[in-house]
Amino acid sequence: MFFILSKLLDFVLSPAVWLVGLVLLAALGRPARWRKHLLWAAAIGLLIFTNPALVNEALLAWEKPPVTLRQLGRHDAGILLTGITEGQKTPHDRVYVGPGADRLLHTLWLYRAGRIRRIIISGGSGALIQPKTNGEEPRTEAEELQVLLRLAGVPKQDILLETRSRNTRENALFTKQLLAQHPEINSTVLITSAFHQRRAIGCFAKVGLHPAPFPAGFYSSDHKPTLTYWLLPGDQPLALWSILLHEMAGYAVYRLLGYAS
């Protein structure tokens, strides 16, 4: 049930849905004075949620900052969280990578740079409905990312898979079980998107794991002291607000339920 409810957040916490709802209520509203208030609310919301500077400033405050290689040091393994593949896209004869793929590239970068000796990929499937691949069981997200790492030349013996988790809490729980089977791994790095790093580190800490954070896949950009940055609207901020609000709500719920510290 928790898994299904978490997926509903994408719809409930969408500013685009809010704006459409306000306009529909204004069109259907009675008396007329409510229509005026609703339309003004929609207009103000549109100005706020299409402003790139406002969402960027909010992301800069929420995302964990970048970590340099010197700050990171060297570790036994990097824990790569999934959630960046499009498993329902057909045909299923390849791996489709979506937004957030930067975390995969950073993992490979850390491995090639000698900062991590092994790679742990944590993630089963985050889909409510599993796609069928000619009657065969579909690959998990961890298995899909393993395919890409193997194509990039990472030896199979340097990759460990955790293929059961469906959310961040389970990433932490099942990764801890996997690490119990590998006592030679003493220090780890947690590699996930910068906006997700706060909740991920909290979940891992809750189960007694304390990997070094390595944020990747930044949605934010550096400050831009230009008028266009502050005044010119765009369509991308709507999607970014949805991502940010979903993550903030998810973090709050995890803290409330005791899933994250």
Side-chain angles (χ1 to χ4, degrees):
M1 179 60 70
F2 176 78
F3 177 67
I4 296 175
L5 289 175
S6 67
K7 295 300 179 182
L8 292 176
L9 282 176
D10 288 330
F11 178 78
V12 175
L13 296 176
S14 170
V17 173
W18 300 348
L19 294 175
V20 171
L22 287 171
V23 173
L24 289 177
L25 286 174
L28 301 173
R30 295 290 189 275
R33 61 186 178 88
W34 283 107
R35 290 200 296 271
K36 182 179 179 180
H37 294 319
L38 290 168
L39 288 174
W40 269 110
I44 294 171
L46 190 63
L47 288 174
I48 292 173
F49 291 123
T50 60
N51 186 292
L54 291 178
V55 70
N56 191 60
E57 294 299 316
L59 284 165
L60 284 169
W62 178 261
E63 289 182 332
K64 289 296 185 179
V67 176
T68 67
L69 291 182
R70 179 174 296 180
Q71 291 172 325
L72 183 66
R74 300 181 187 275
H75 298 269
D76 295 327
I79 303 170
L80 169 61
L81 301 190
T82 61
I84 60 175
T85 57
E86 305 289 346
Q88 298 188 53
K89 177 67 177 175
T90 57
H92 298 295
D93 59 354
R94 70 207 69 175
V95 177
Y96 299 91
V97 181
D102 193 43
R103 67 175 83 166
L104 172 65
L105 298 177
H106 275 72
T107 300
L108 181 61
W109 176 37
L110 292 178
Y111 178 82
R112 292 296 186 196
R115 298 293 168 167
I116 54 176
R117 294 191 299 108
R118 303 177 78 178
I119 298 171
I120 300 168
I121 311 175
S122 175
S125 175
L128 290 174
I129 301 175
Q130 296 298 325
K132 295 297 181 181
T133 56
N134 297 326
E136 299 178 359
E137 284 295 319
R139 287 189 299 247
T140 64
E141 294 185 48
E143 290 169 333
E144 291 199 314
L145 294 187
Q146 181 188 37
V147 170
L148 298 179
L149 289 175
R150 294 286 288 116
L151 288 173
V154 180
K156 188 174 182 179
Q157 63 268 23
D158 286 349
I159 302 174
L160 300 175
L161 298 183
E162 181 285 295
T163 61
R164 295 181 293 159
S165 58
R166 299 183 301 168
N167 54 44
T168 312
R169 177 180 181 242
E170 292 181 353
N171 285 143
L173 288 170
F174 297 147
T175 298
K176 181 178 182 180
Q177 295 176 13
L178 178 62
L179 286 172
Q181 303 171 27
H182 295 273
E184 73 277 8
I185 299 177
N186 295 308
S187 63
T188 56
V189 180
L190 183 58
I191 307 156
T192 188
S193 296
F195 79 93
H196 182 240
Q197 188 73 241
R198 190 185 302 266
R199 177 161 49 140
I201 283 292
C203 288
F204 275 74
K206 198 67 177 182
V207 300
L209 298 177
H210 300 280
F214 193 82
F218 291 86
Y219 282 112
S220 64
S221 61
D222 293 344
H223 299 282
K224 299 175 183 177
T226 62
L227 285 177
T228 56
Y229 171 70
W230 286 100
L231 299 178
L232 191 65
D235 53 357
Q236 189 181 29
L238 276 171
L240 293 178
W241 274 116
S242 294
I243 292 169
L244 178 59
L245 292 172
H246 177 274
E247 182 58 29
M248 293 176 70
Y251 180 68
V253 171
Y254 270 48
R255 289 289 301 269
L256 183 64
L257 296 177
Y259 294 165
S261 60

